[in-house]
Amino acid sequence: MSQGEWTFLSNYGHVLVSLARDPDARMRDVSEAVGITERAVQQIVRELVGQGYLRKTKVGRRNSYEVVRAAHLRHELESQVTLDDFLELLAKGAAPAGRLPQS
C-alpha cells in the first residue's frame, strides 16, 4: 500500500474476514490476502483466539478456525455490534459467493 492509502478495517479485521470466508485457510494464504507477513497473521490469530473472537480446532495436521459470531466488537463506539452483524454487513457487498459461512 503506498503512502496516503488506507482502509477502514485494521489488519485484525482483515484477518477475521479472511478466516470467516475460508476457515481452513493456511496462514500463508491469509497473509497474501491481507498483505501482511505470515508472522503478523500468526500473532493476530493468537490474539483473536486468546480474546475469544476465534476458536481453533486441529484437523489432522492443519488448523480450522471458527468465528465466535456472538462476540461483540471491542471499542465503546461499536460495542453493541456482534461479529455476526459485522460479517453480515461485509457479506452484502461481497462477490457472488454472497453470505459468509455461518460458524
Side-chain angles (χ1 to χ4, degrees), residues 12 42-56 65-66 68 74:
Y12 285 78
Q42 292 168 345
Q43 179 62 37
I44 289 170
V45 167
R46 266 193 301 278
E47 290 181 36
L48 290 172
V49 169
Q51 293 294 310
Y53 290 99
L54 285 176
R55 288 188 193 105
K56 179 172 76 168
Y65 297 91
E66 175 188 1
V68 179
R74 293 177 61 166

Side-chain angles (χ1 to χ4, degrees), residues 3 7 14 19 25 27 34 40 42 47 52 56 62-63 65-68 71 74 81 83 86-88 90 97:
Q3 190 175 23
T7 65
H14 291 294
L19 288 172
M27 295 296 101
V34 175
Q42 292 168 345
E47 290 181 36
K56 179 172 76 168
R62 302 205 31 201
N63 293 320
Y65 297 91
E66 175 188 1
V67 174
V68 179
R74 293 177 61 166
V81 177
L83 291 183
F86 171 72
L87 293 170
E88 284 300 310
L90 295 177

Side-chain angles (χ1 to χ4, degrees), residues 2 9-10 16 22-23 27 54-55 58 64 76 87 93 102:
S2 67
L9 297 182
S10 69
L16 188 75
D22 184 1
M27 295 296 101
L54 285 176
R55 288 188 193 105
K58 194 79 164 160
S64 183
E76 184 179 318
L87 293 170
Q102 287 289 334

Side-chain angles (χ1 to χ4, degrees), residues 11 15 19 25-47 61-63 65:
N11 289 337
V15 168
L19 288 172
R26 297 175 302 165
M27 295 296 101
R28 179 181 310 148
D29 300 329
V30 175
S31 168
E32 290 173 9
V34 175
I36 59 177
T37 66
E38 192 172 337
R39 188 174 192 160
V41 170
Q42 292 168 345
Q43 179 62 37
I44 289 170
V45 167
R46 266 193 301 278
E47 290 181 36
R61 294 176 51 178
R62 302 205 31 201
N63 293 320
Y65 297 91

